[in-house]
Amino acid sequence: MFSKFTSILQHAVEALAPSLPLQEDFVYHWKAITHYYIETSDDKAPVTDTNIPSHLEQMLDILVQEENERESGETGPCMEYLLHHKILETLYTLGKADCPPGMKQQVLSFYTKLLGRIQQPLLPHINVHRPVQKLIRLCGEVLATPTENEEIHFLCTVCAKLKQDPYLVNFFLEVIHDPVLHAPRRQNKLKGLASKGIASLIAEDMLKGQDSVTTDTGQALQPGETSSGADQAERENDLPEQADDLSTSLDELNFTPSPGALAVPPHGDYNLVNSLLNLTKSPDGRVAVKACEGLMLLVSLPEPAAAKCLSENTCLCELLTDRLASLYKALPQSMDPLDIETVEGVNWGLDSYSHKEDASAFPGKRPLISFLSWFDYCDQLIKEAHKTTAIAMARSVRKRFFGGVMEPQLMQTSEIGILTSTALLHRIIRQVTSDALMHEIVYFILGEQREPEKQADINRHPLRHCLIEHCDHISDEISIMTLRMFEHLLQKPDEHILYNLVLRNLEERNYTEYKPPCQEDKDVVENGQIAGAVDLEEDPLFTDLSPNTMLSNQEWLSASPSASPDHSKNDGKTEVHKIVNSFLCLVPDEAKSSYHVEGTGYDTYLRDAHRQFRDYCAICLRWEWPGFPKPLEKCNLESAFFEGYFLKVLFDRMGRILDQPYDVNLQVTSVLSKLSLFPHPHIHEYLLDPYVNLASGCRSLFSVIVRVVGDLMVRIQRIPDFTPKLLLVRKRLLGLEPEGPIVDHMTLLEGVIVLEEFCKELAAIAFVKYHASSTP
C-alpha cells in the first residue's frame, strides 16, 4: 500500500516539476530502478507493488519520443545510453531471476514494446541482440506459466523483425562451444558467488556497471560480423573484467557441467525455433497458434544458413511428424468414409470445434478435425518454407508418419481398417498443396521406380502393388475408395505419378506391331480413309450403324478444323471423325437408350471435356512432353509388352462392366477418362486410337470395350423386352421415373448404360484433343 502511495506521489511531483532534458529524465528513471535493488530489504514483494513498471514505461516513452524528434536513422543520447550501459543485459538478468516476483513479465513486455515501437534497426547492435538471444532461451522453458502470453508476444515480435530484415537471423544462429573450455574459470568464481544472495549480488553488479566505463560502444554489427561465430568470442574475450555483467554471474551460479554435456561437440543452435516449438505444446490454444505463426515466419526466411540450421539442429521435423502420428493414432479404428470426406472446418489456425454446438457431429469428429488441422499446418509450413527446410520436413513426414504409421494401416487385412485408412489417405491427397510434401507422398505410395514394369515386380514396392490390388478388392467399398484415391492422385501436378503408373510402360510403343511403310500406305483414298484402315461399315460388328448415331462427313467439315500439312498421316493421329464414330458406334442400337431421353447426347460431353483437357494441359505444361509419338524405328519393339499393374486392373475391371455394381463402374470409367485426357501422344494412341496395330497378345482400351460389346450382343438375345427395360432403368437413374418393382438383370442394364455413356465421353475427349492439337 505504501509503495502504491509513493508511486502516485511521484507522478504528481513529475507533473508539477519542470520538464528535464530527455536524457536526464531517462537516466533518472533507470537509476530509480537500480536504487530499488540497492535499498530494498524485501525481495518477496511482487513487482506490481513497486514503481518499476512505471519507470520502465516512462523509459520506453522517452525512447519513442526521442526517435520521433530526430531524423530517420539517427540514434539519440537516450538510446546511446541504453546501448552503452547494457541496460537490456541487466534487465534480462532481473527477468531471469524474477526478482522481485513478476519481473520476468515486465522485462518481456519492455523488450517486446522496445522492438515493436522503435523504428530504427536495433537488433544489429551486440548489446541488443545478445540479451534478446538470452531472453529467448527463457521462453517456453515451462508450459502454462503466468508469463506465457508475454513470452509468445516477445518471440513473435522478434520473428516479425527477422521477416522484415532476413539477414538479421544470422545473429541468432549460435555456435555452441565445448563447455569444458570455460569450466575452470567458472568453477573458481562459483566459490566466491555461492554464498551470496541474489539481491545482494544484483546490487553489487549494478553498482559496478554504473561506476565503470566499458570499452563496448554498442555499435551495430555488419551482417557478416555475427556474434555467433569466432568474432563474437574474440570480442567478448577482449572486454575488461569489470564489464562482466550480472547475467554472467547468475549463469555461473547455475552452472553444473554434467559428463554428458562435456562430450557434446560444437554445433549450431537456433534457440528462437526451440522456444517456439516448446510453446506449440501449450495447453492455451491461442499461445500454441501464435507459436505456429512464429515458426511459419522463420521457416520462410531466405537465409540458407538459417534453413540448414533449422532442419539439422532443431527438433522441428520430429515435432511435426510425432504430433501428426499421435493425432492419427487417436482416431477411431473405424470411421465412415463419407464423414472423412465431407468434414469441414479444417484450418490449422481455427481449430476450435465444439461438439455441443455441432448439429452434424459423428463419433471421432473432434480427433479427426485435430488431425486434419495439424496436417494442414504441416502442409502450409512446408509450402512456405525455404527449399532446404521444406525438403527436410517433407522427408521426415514421409519417413516417420507415412512410412512408420500409415503404411501398416493400409496393408492390414481388416476390411474396416483398410477402408478407414484409405479414406484418410484420400482426404490427405485432396488436401495437400505443397509440392515438396506431395512429391514425398507420391514416392510413399508409388515408389521411385521409373523403368518399365515386369510381372515379377510385385515386391519392388509392396504398398504400390497392395493399393492397386485394392482397386479390384472383393469389397466394393474398398475398391471404390481406392479408385477415387488414384483418381485424385492423377490430378496432382507431379510428373512421376503418371509416369510411374502408365507412361513408363508405353515409352517404347511395344504394344504396336511395326509394318514398314510402302508407297500404297502413303496414298489417301478419295473418301478420306486411311489406306489399310478397317471401314466400320464393313465390319460385321458394326452392321447395325444408324444415321442417328453416325456423324456425316459434311458435319465434320463444319465442326472440325481442316487438316494441315504439318499433321500428315504419319504423325500417329488417325482422322478424328473416324475415331469419334468408332466410339459412338461401339454400342449396338438395341443397347442404346440415351436418344430416348433429352439432354443426354454426345455433345453434352464436349464442354466438360474441353474444360478438363485445358486444366490437364496446364498441369503438364512444364513437363515438356513430346508432341508426336516416338518413331517406331527408334523403339525397342522386341521387348515383351506389359501394360503395368495399374492399367491391368483397370482393363480387367472394364472387362467386367456388365457384371459389376453401378457405383464401381462409374468409378472405373472415371479413372480411365481422366487418364485419356492427358496430352501425351503415347497415352492418346494407346487409349484413344481404335486403329492402332496392336502387337500379338496386347490389348488396348478399345479392344477391351470391343470384347465387352461382343459379350453384350450375345446376352441381349437372352433377355426379353431388353430395350424397354433398359430405358426404364435409365429414367430411374436420372430420377425421371419413381422407384418401382425390381427389374430383372439390373446390374447388366446399369452396366450397359455406363458403357454407352463412357463411349460418348471417350469420343468427346478424342475430338477435343484433336481440335487442340490442330489449332495454332
Side-chain angles (χ1 to χ4, degrees):
M1 179 63 70
F2 178 74
S3 62
K4 289 185 178 179
F5 175 76
T6 304
S7 176
I8 295 171
L9 184 62
Q10 175 192 329
H11 283 296
V13 172
E14 289 173 354
L16 297 173
S19 59
L20 295 172
L22 287 180
Q23 184 179 6
E24 292 183 25
D25 203 10
F26 185 83
V27 173
Y28 162 75
H29 287 293
W30 175 240
K31 288 190 174 182
I33 294 174
T34 59
H35 286 158
Y36 167 83
Y37 290 94
I38 296 170
E39 298 170 358
T40 186
S41 58
D42 181 17
D43 57 359
K44 302 297 184 184
V47 70
T48 51
D49 289 348
T50 72
N51 295 328
I52 292 176
S54 175
H55 288 304
L56 287 174
E57 191 66 34
Q58 291 292 326
M59 290 171 64
L60 190 64
D61 290 341
I62 290 170
L63 290 171
V64 173
Q65 181 183 346
E66 178 186 69
E67 184 179 54
N68 292 337
E69 293 176 356
R70 292 180 172 270
E71 293 183 5
S72 177
E74 183 180 351
T75 303
C78 297
M79 183 60 72
E80 290 281 4
Y81 186 90
L82 178 138
L83 297 172
H84 186 72
H85 288 80
K86 299 184 177 180
I87 289 177
L88 294 181
E89 289 275 7
T90 305
L91 286 176
Y92 154 74
T93 306
L94 300 177
K96 181 178 181 181
D98 202 28
C99 179
M103 189 62 186
K104 183 178 178 182
Q105 281 177 300
Q106 298 297 323
V107 171
L108 285 164
S109 180
F110 182 82
Y111 271 63
T112 302
K113 293 176 181 177
L114 179 69
L115 293 175
R117 293 170 62 180
I118 299 298
Q119 300 302 312
Q120 61 177 298
L122 294 179
L123 286 176
H125 292 273
I126 190 172
N127 285 340
V128 176
H129 71 251
R130 184 164 60 183
V132 166
Q133 177 72 296
K134 291 179 180 179
L135 191 60
I136 287 171
R137 294 193 203 112
L138 297 184
C139 299
E141 285 184 325
V142 181
L143 295 180
T145 62
T147 61
E148 258 194 354
N149 280 322
E150 288 78 10
E151 289 176 12
I152 193 59
H153 282 105
F154 164 65
L155 294 175
C156 286
T157 300
V158 175
C159 291
K161 286 294 179 183
L162 297 183
K163 185 67 175 177
Q164 291 176 4
D165 298 300
Y167 79 95
L168 294 176
V169 75
N170 291 291
F171 297 129
F172 294 88
L173 305 179
E174 296 183 294
V175 176
I176 308 302
H177 298 284
D178 194 339
V180 74
L181 299 176
H182 306 286
R185 179 175 65 86
R186 292 184 176 183
Q187 289 177 346
N188 289 335
K189 288 195 174 185
L190 283 177
K191 297 177 181 178
L193 296 171
S195 60
K196 296 184 180 181
I198 289 180
S200 62
L201 181 62
I202 291 172
E204 179 182 326
D205 278 4
M206 279 186 167
L207 287 172
K208 184 197 304 181
Q210 290 177 24
D211 296 339
S212 62
V213 179
T214 71
T215 60
D216 192 341
T217 63
Q219 292 298 310
L221 294 174
Q222 296 301 316
E225 303 176 57
T226 65
S227 60
S228 58
D231 291 342
Q232 179 190 342
E234 183 178 345
R235 188 192 308 274
E236 292 175 0
N237 291 335
D238 290 340
L239 292 176
E241 195 66 34
Q242 62 189 10
D244 285 354
D245 55 39
L246 182 57
S247 62
T248 306
S249 302
L250 284 179
D251 286 343
E252 289 164 347
L253 273 175
N254 298 327
F255 176 75
T256 52
S258 63
L262 298 179
V264 177
H267 63 279
D269 204 358
Y270 204 165
N271 286 311
L272 184 54
V273 171
N274 294 331
S275 295
L276 287 170
L277 287 174
N278 288 337
L279 288 174
T280 61
K281 307 169 188 174
S282 169
D284 187 337
R286 293 168 300 177
V287 172
V289 168
K290 292 290 289 182
C292 289
E293 290 173 353
L295 288 172
M296 189 79 75
L297 289 175
L298 291 183
V299 300
S300 64
L301 297 179
E303 292 293 309
K308 186 173 186 294
C309 186
L310 194 150
S311 56
E312 294 181 3
N313 299 320
T314 72
C315 57
L316 175 62
C317 296
E318 289 77 6
L319 179 135
L320 291 177
T321 51
D322 290 350
R323 183 173 297 185
L324 202 59
S326 63
L327 290 172
Y328 183 89
K329 292 174 182 176
L331 296 173
Q333 291 294 314
S334 173
M335 298 181 72
D336 188 337
L338 186 61
D339 290 336
I340 296 173
E341 182 177 350
T342 58
V343 67
E344 297 178 352
V346 176
N347 186 303
W348 68 268
L350 301 173
D351 184 11
S352 55
Y353 171 74
S354 174
H355 181 80
K356 295 180 180 179
E357 300 173 1
D358 187 6
S360 60
F362 56 84
K365 186 170 185 177
R366 166 72 268 184
L368 177 61
I369 289 179
S370 295
F371 167 73
L372 293 176
S373 297
W374 186 250
F375 181 83
D376 179 58
Y377 175 68
C378 296
D379 180 39
Q380 295 302 318
L381 198 67
I382 294 171
K383 187 176 183 178
E384 297 295 328
H386 184 281
K387 184 177 180 180
T388 301
T389 309
I391 292 173
M393 289 190 292
R395 287 177 177 171
S396 177
V397 172
R398 172 191 170 188
K399 178 181 178 182
R400 298 169 68 93
F401 171 65
F402 285 108
V405 178
M406 280 207 78
E407 184 169 354
Q409 296 295 311
L410 291 166
M411 298 185 69
Q412 62 181 302
T413 55
S414 165
E415 290 189 3
I416 295 176
I418 293 173
L419 184 61
T420 302
S421 57
T422 306
L424 286 166
L425 180 61
H426 175 227
R427 177 61 190 251
I428 286 171
I429 290 171
R430 284 177 48 215
Q431 187 171 316
V432 67
T433 58
S434 66
D435 290 341
L437 184 55
M438 188 66 243
H439 196 63
E440 293 301 325
I441 293 175
V442 169
Y443 278 170
F444 161 70
I445 294 174
L446 303 179
E448 302 180 24
Q449 294 78 26
R450 292 180 68 85
E451 66 275 7
E453 286 183 77
K454 298 178 181 178
Q455 301 211 26
D457 285 349
I458 296 177
N459 297 323
R460 290 291 299 277
H461 193 76
L463 179 62
R464 177 186 187 272
H465 184 75
C466 179
L467 290 173
I468 291 175
E469 280 194 328
H470 287 172
C471 294
D472 198 5
H473 199 275
I474 191 173
S475 165
D476 292 333
E477 281 188 291
I478 291 176
S479 296
I480 292 171
M481 182 52 62
T482 310
L483 285 165
R484 295 186 67 193
M485 184 272 294
F486 275 111
E487 181 181 3
H488 279 96
L489 188 66
L490 285 167
Q491 297 174 57
K492 290 295 178 177
D494 193 311
E495 182 268 349
H496 185 71
I497 300 171
L498 189 67
Y499 194 88
N500 180 278
L501 287 172
V502 178
L503 274 180
R504 58 172 168 163
N505 303 309
L506 309 181
E507 197 72 29
E508 296 298 326
R509 297 179 67 193
N510 47 352
Y511 49 84
T512 63
E513 184 178 5
Y514 178 56
K515 293 182 179 180
C518 61
Q519 184 61 36
E520 294 180 0
D521 293 331
K522 298 178 182 179
D523 297 331
V524 180
V525 295
E526 291 182 1
N527 63 5
Q529 290 189 5
I530 298 174
V534 178
D535 190 341
L536 293 179
E537 296 179 8
E538 298 175 1
D539 192 320
L541 187 59
F542 303 105
T543 53
D544 56 347
L545 293 180
S546 70
N548 294 328
T549 60
M550 191 164 182
L551 298 181
S552 68
N553 288 342
Q554 186 60 38
E555 289 174 320
W556 278 107
L557 288 174
S558 60
S560 306
S562 57
S564 64
D566 296 333
H567 294 282
S568 55
K569 297 303 178 290
N570 60 1
D571 66 357
K573 294 187 179 74
T574 308
E575 288 178 335
V576 66
H577 75 273
K578 297 185 66 63
I579 292 178
V580 171
N581 280 328
S582 297
F583 282 111
L584 292 179
C585 302
L586 263 176
V587 180
D589 270 1
E590 58 265 35
K592 290 181 178 178
S593 54
S594 60
Y595 56 87
H596 293 290
V597 180
E598 288 188 19
T600 58
Y602 150 77
D603 55 314
T604 59
Y605 287 96
L606 284 173
R607 183 178 290 104
D608 286 340
H610 178 73
R611 176 184 54 79
Q612 293 180 39
F613 182 64
R614 182 183 57 203
D615 294 342
Y616 274 71
C617 286
I619 292 174
C620 306
L621 190 61
R622 59 180 178 175
W623 299 343
E624 297 181 351
W625 280 347
F628 303 100
K630 183 178 180 181
L632 287 174
E633 298 85 353
K634 298 180 180 179
C635 294
N636 180 18
L637 301 179
E638 300 300 323
S639 58
F641 175 70
F642 176 49
E643 64 251 34
Y645 282 102
F646 187 60
L647 282 182
K648 178 181 183 300
V649 167
L650 291 177
F651 286 175
D652 289 348
R653 276 289 198 184
M654 191 65 208
R656 302 198 301 270
I657 193 171
L658 303 179
D659 302 298
Q660 292 174 154
Y662 179 70
D663 291 336
V664 173
N665 287 336
L666 287 179
Q667 196 57 56
V668 171
T669 53
S670 179
V671 175
L672 284 168
S673 66
K674 295 293 188 300
L675 282 174
S676 302
L677 281 163
F678 280 100
H680 193 286
H682 295 176
I683 288 181
H684 181 88
E685 178 181 54
Y686 188 60
L687 296 181
L688 292 177
D689 190 350
Y691 297 95
V692 63
N693 293 316
L694 289 175
S696 176
C698 298
R699 59 179 178 172
S700 67
L701 178 57
F702 189 81
S703 71
V704 170
I705 297 176
V706 166
R707 287 181 176 273
V708 172
V709 171
D711 181 37
L712 172 62
M713 294 176 70
V714 174
R715 295 168 71 170
I716 285 177
Q717 310 302 322
R718 305 172 186 168
I719 302 175
D721 301 323
F722 178 84
T723 302
K725 289 180 180 177
L726 185 66
L727 184 59
L728 175 62
V729 171
R730 175 179 281 273
K731 288 182 176 181
R732 284 185 180 179
L733 290 173
L734 293 173
L736 302 177
E737 286 281 345
E739 291 296 327
I742 298 176
V743 179
D744 293 337
H745 309 285
M746 177 69 78
T747 300
L748 172 66
L749 295 171
E750 289 176 338
V752 172
I753 292 170
V754 174
L755 179 64
E756 181 187 356
E757 296 302 311
F758 184 50
C759 288
K760 291 191 294 185
E761 186 176 12
L762 292 177
I765 293 171
F767 173 67
V768 167
K769 291 178 77 173
Y770 174 83
H771 188 276
S773 65
S774 303
T775 304

